[in-house]
Amino acid sequence: TLRSVDLGRLFRLTDHTMEIVATHGKVIVELNLDGCMFFIPALRSCLQKLPSLKKLVISRCFMLDCRQLPRLADCLQNLRVLDLSNLD
């Protein structure tokens, strides 16, 4: 069973790709999106389908508006590690 997904530095990651990962990865506990280009709505949609997620890396995701990160709080209830390094 797939439990850890590293898509770090996948610069052409699309919202559709994130949706596929979420749909087929309900037991994912670690998700690395370091340096990927996406917006909060796509991330939120993905996270809502990953109830087992314990670690999320979204460092260097420069398309993210940090002021909107609180909108993700209800999707991160089981999260133990959140890496936001190098975000503005």
Side-chain angles (χ1 to χ4, degrees):
T1 306
L2 184 65
R3 299 189 46 81
S4 180
V5 177
D6 185 348
L7 300 173
R9 304 291 184 156
L10 185 59
F11 299 114
R12 294 179 190 219
L13 179 77
T14 65
D15 294 355
H16 180 69
T17 305
M18 290 178 67
E19 185 68 28
I20 290 170
V21 169
T23 301
H24 298 289
K26 296 194 184 329
V27 296
I28 292 174
V29 294
E30 293 185 16
L31 180 59
N32 181 357
L33 298 172
D34 172 52
C36 294
M37 304 296 169
F38 53 83
F39 295 101
I40 291 285
L43 179 59
R44 180 177 174 73
S45 177
C46 180
L47 295 177
Q48 287 174 328
K49 296 175 182 156
L50 300 175
S52 301
L53 194 65
K54 303 283 187 230
K55 180 180 179 181
L56 175 63
V57 178
I58 52 174
S59 60
R60 297 183 200 96
C61 295
F62 299 113
M63 300 287 287
L64 292 180
D65 181 350
C66 291
R67 295 171 295 185
Q68 294 189 20
L69 287 176
R71 293 177 51 198
L72 299 176
D74 63 320
C75 302
L76 304 175
Q77 295 175 359
N78 295 320
L79 206 64
R80 300 288 183 256
V81 177
L82 176 60
D83 184 347
L84 301 172
S85 58
N86 297 310
L87 287 183
D88 292 333

